[in-house]
Amino acid sequence: MTSTGIRLHAPAPGWSIDADVVVVGSGVAGLTAALRCEAAGLTTVVVTKALLDDGSTRWAQGGVAAALGEGDTPEQHLDDTLVAGVGLCDEDAVRILVTEGPDAVRRLISTGAHFDTDADGGIELTREGGHHRRRIVHAGGDATGAEISRALVEAARARGVRMIENALVLDLLTDAEGRTAGVTLHVMGEGQHDGVGAVHAPAVVLATGGMGQVFSATTNPAVSTGDGVALALRAGAEVSDLEFVQFHPTVLFLGADAEGQQPLVSEAVRGEGAHLVDAAGVRFMVGQHELAELAPRDIVAKVITRRMQEQDAEHMFLDARHFGADMWEHRFPTILAACRAHGIDPVTEPIPIAPAAHYASGGVRTDARGRTTVPGLYACGEVACTGVHGANRLASNSLLEGLVYAERIVTDITERHAADRLHARVPVPVPHTDEPDHPLQTPEARFAIQRIMTEGAGVLRSAESLTRAAEQLQRLHTEAREALAENGKTAEPGVDTWEATNLLCVARVLVEAALRRAETRGCHWREDHADRDDANWRRHIVVRLNPDRSLAVRTTDTADFPPTRPHQPSQEQ
């Protein structure tokens, strides 16, 4: 494994604690991993950027997909997932997901999560886009993520799992041989510790969520700034499929200039029978796909965008007036409240909607046990690329992936921990140096990056738009490097400058991968290459960060993921 030697410019750690495992993130993936590690007798520390329940999980409305219904099977769930992934899913990874998923959901229930039930007391199931059967379990009507988060947070607190809240992870610590030795982090003035410190541990689990804040409008919370992917890149890990950003088709339209987190209108609304219509009331999804409004998300987002272009409209509409007040109030109370808070009443009028950045199908490349290309570094949930999602995530597979692969990671960590104890192996972190390394972006750069990405790498992409975005991002990167080289100056270290720097890092990788993939596949839509090209592009784009901060990009030979063995030098460019 070749380490980059790159780290964020930050003060040296002023305090440290020791653990067997540090989990970064407190969503479904992170807390599941932490609970299983604690149950296995491993000293576990959870580091989370805000409060325990402030991540993306609690915003999930639709539910968890699993073959739990009568007549449904893992094989049918597998088939739907492979179709949605448009030829780039790793079939072995998907098979793990769908076969281990039902029991993982049952264990979540035993942990304390309460899902909606029918009149007979059985789990109530709904449908979402791309699913041919009702297999989505949900809670509180449309508050599934909030319920899962509540149950896992309560369980973690009951078990006494050590938590460090309001803490932004900075960089991976490694020993002289390149093995994981913990993380550095900055605690934002809360709790026992303050400022920059370190958690020393031979195993680090990244469960940091997504990077939706790289775009101007997103369903992601403000904390989703790609920190885990950026950390992994600086540590020398490989990332894959970052060009496949899913834009959710139905996000409440708040105006053309709206920025930041936008209210999601769950796919489950369409699953229960809502119609997509234009201003004239025409159902434009009929005839576009056999599932009409329940087609996979990439198809729905594309058709909506085309319709908007054809009619020179800023948005389309989701019409569910036929639900009636009772159904809205009991099945979708969260969405109803969000709409009414913005002056829209779905009971009496159609909901204005437009696509917005929602989910990263790609991320830090892992194997079937969540292992990255850096020994001791694991990833699960949205930050990871397990091969499950391919070119487009099937609705409600994300929470299930977090559950299943977090449990598989813990199995590997437990076995490795036993072996390390047997051989008395304890990684010793390489000492922190005082020299500034990675120049920091100014807080204002965050908004510049978001505008660049929205204009150049949004739902519609082309060689022209992506080249322009790459040049603008490179200019930000070069200006910061030159300022550091000429006068030793960089932006003041702090949460806003670290986040902006992480956003620039992941934006550069995303644009480079999107520029290279000269085809349209899944949620990657190239206007200048409108067709899918299996002969040349049914394969993955893998990116590393070189020590000089340039990008090393390669394309796999097939659609299968290569092993996550330590990196060997190759003919990359």
Side-chain angles (χ1 to χ4, degrees):
M1 203 277 303
T2 304
S3 175
T4 67
I6 301 171
R7 62 173 181 82
L8 288 173
H9 179 40
W15 53 269
S16 66
I17 58 176
D18 296 324
D20 295 323
V21 185
V22 56
V23 177
V24 187
S26 60
V28 62
L31 289 183
T32 297
L35 285 166
R36 300 292 182 267
C37 282
E38 195 74 23
L42 301 173
T43 304
T44 306
V45 174
V46 173
V47 175
T48 188
K49 195 171 178 180
L51 299 178
L52 280 183
D53 61 353
D54 274 352
S56 292
T57 291
R58 78 181 179 100
W59 296 100
Q61 295 174 347
V64 187
L68 294 166
E70 184 178 352
D72 197 5
T73 65
E75 199 68 25
Q76 294 176 67
H77 189 182
L78 180 141
D79 290 344
D80 285 345
T81 300
L82 296 180
V83 169
V86 201
L88 279 189
C89 296
D90 183 286
E91 187 166 339
D92 290 339
V94 178
R95 195 170 295 280
I96 288 168
L97 179 82
V98 299
T99 55
E100 297 182 11
D103 282 343
V105 172
R106 294 183 185 103
R107 283 188 289 274
L108 179 60
I109 292 171
S110 69
T111 301
H114 302 295
F115 293 110
D116 295 338
T117 56
D118 56 28
D120 297 323
I123 295 177
E124 189 174 59
L125 303 172
T126 191
R127 275 182 71 193
E128 290 186 353
H131 293 273
H132 282 78
R133 284 189 175 272
R134 286 183 170 263
R135 64 167 66 97
I136 316 298
V137 301
H138 48 84
D142 59 357
T144 309
E147 170 57 19
I148 290 173
S149 182
R150 179 206 62 77
L152 291 174
V153 168
E154 286 188 7
R157 285 177 171 152
R159 287 199 66 92
V161 177
R162 185 166 186 176
M163 312 285 185
I164 303 179
E165 296 180 297
N166 299 297
L168 171 64
V169 68
L170 299 176
D171 282 303
L172 190 74
L173 293 170
T174 56
D175 66 11
E177 298 178 12
R179 295 177 302 188
T180 294
V183 294
T184 56
L185 64 155
H186 174 78
V187 182
M188 295 171 261
E190 301 284 346
Q192 292 177 294
H193 302 289
D194 193 7
V196 175
V199 180
H200 297 152
V204 171
V205 180
L206 293 179
T208 51
M211 54 185 188
Q213 289 291 326
V214 79
F215 294 97
S216 296
T218 177
T219 63
N220 290 192
V223 295
S224 297
T225 51
D227 307 319
V229 171
L231 175 149
L233 283 163
R234 291 192 295 271
E238 294 182 344
V239 303
S240 185
D241 297 357
L242 228 61
E243 67 271 30
F244 295 117
V245 177
Q246 188 177 82
F247 286 77
H248 198 289
T250 54
V251 176
L252 185 62
F253 181 75
L254 300 181
D257 298 326
E259 295 184 342
Q261 186 177 11
Q262 313 288 302
L264 176 67
V265 182
S266 170
E267 199 152 304
V269 178
R270 281 176 282 140
E272 295 293 350
H275 303 146
L276 283 164
V277 299
D278 60 18
V282 176
R283 284 184 63 189
F284 55 84
M285 280 304 302
V286 175
Q288 297 289 335
H289 189 276
E290 62 166 336
L291 295 175
E293 280 91 356
L294 288 178
R297 289 177 178 177
D298 63 309
I299 294 171
V300 180
K302 288 173 187 175
V303 176
I304 288 173
T305 305
R306 282 198 194 102
R307 196 75 167 188
M308 288 163 58
Q309 289 178 322
E310 291 168 0
Q311 299 186 351
D312 194 24
E314 292 182 326
H315 61 83
M316 290 288 110
F317 294 92
L318 186 66
D319 191 353
R321 288 174 290 179
H322 54 285
F323 283 6
D326 286 347
M327 183 172 175
W328 268 111
E329 290 167 3
H330 291 94
R331 181 65 180 88
F332 300 110
T334 306
I335 298 170
L336 179 63
C339 289
R340 285 177 169 170
H342 291 283
I344 304 295
D345 189 352
V347 177
T348 60
E349 59 187 318
I351 305 168
I353 54 88
H358 182 57
Y359 190 87
S361 291
V364 185
R365 191 168 73 81
T366 75
D367 66 6
R369 285 193 163 200
R371 295 175 293 203
T372 74
T373 49
V374 177
L377 178 65
Y378 300 80
C380 58
E382 191 173 355
V383 71
C385 184
T386 63
V388 160
H389 303 308
N392 181 51
R393 175 181 67 101
L394 180 65
S396 288
N397 268 355
S398 51
L399 293 175
L400 189 71
E401 184 195 30
L403 288 171
V404 169
Y405 280 87
E407 292 182 344
R408 294 180 71 83
I409 284 173
V410 175
T411 298
D412 193 80
I413 290 175
T414 304
E415 292 174 0
R416 180 168 162 256
H417 179 73
D420 285 349
R421 289 186 63 181
L422 181 65
H423 298 288
R425 289 195 296 257
V426 179
V428 178
V430 173
H432 184 98
T433 64
D434 291 329
E435 295 181 6
D437 198 335
H438 204 48
L440 301 179
Q441 295 294 313
T442 65
E444 294 75 24
R446 175 173 183 148
F447 305 104
I449 294 164
Q450 289 172 335
R451 285 192 295 272
I452 292 167
M453 293 298 289
T454 297
E455 293 171 3
V459 178
L460 299 177
R461 303 167 178 178
S462 66
E464 181 182 357
S465 74
L466 290 165
T467 298
R468 184 170 59 251
E471 291 171 348
Q472 292 171 327
L473 294 172
Q474 184 61 37
R475 192 174 303 123
L476 290 173
H477 178 71
T478 300
E479 288 173 355
R481 288 191 63 182
E482 289 176 347
L484 182 61
E486 290 174 6
N487 53 34
K489 290 185 178 180
T490 186
E492 189 71 21
V495 173
D496 49 2
T497 57
W498 288 321
E499 286 185 333
T501 304
N502 286 339
L503 283 171
L504 179 60
C505 179
V506 297
R508 290 178 63 215
V509 176
L510 192 162
V511 168
E512 179 64 27
L515 190 54
R516 293 203 175 211
R517 184 172 290 280
E519 66 160 354
T520 290
R521 182 185 298 270
C523 50
H524 172 67
W525 188 6
R526 286 283 296 264
E527 292 182 285
D528 51 340
H529 294 280
D531 297 323
R532 170 176 161 181
D533 182 1
D534 280 350
N536 294 303
W537 288 110
R538 191 166 177 255
R539 54 198 68 193
H540 303 276
I541 296 174
V542 179
V543 184
R544 289 186 304 107
L545 191 63
N546 287 321
D548 66 357
R549 304 178 190 84
S550 64
L551 301 178
V553 186
R554 67 185 173 94
T555 304
T556 61
D557 295 330
T558 69
D560 296 328
F561 267 8
T564 53
R565 59 181 179 274
H567 173 73
Q568 300 295 326
S570 63
Q571 299 299 314
E572 297 178 354
Q573 56 182 1

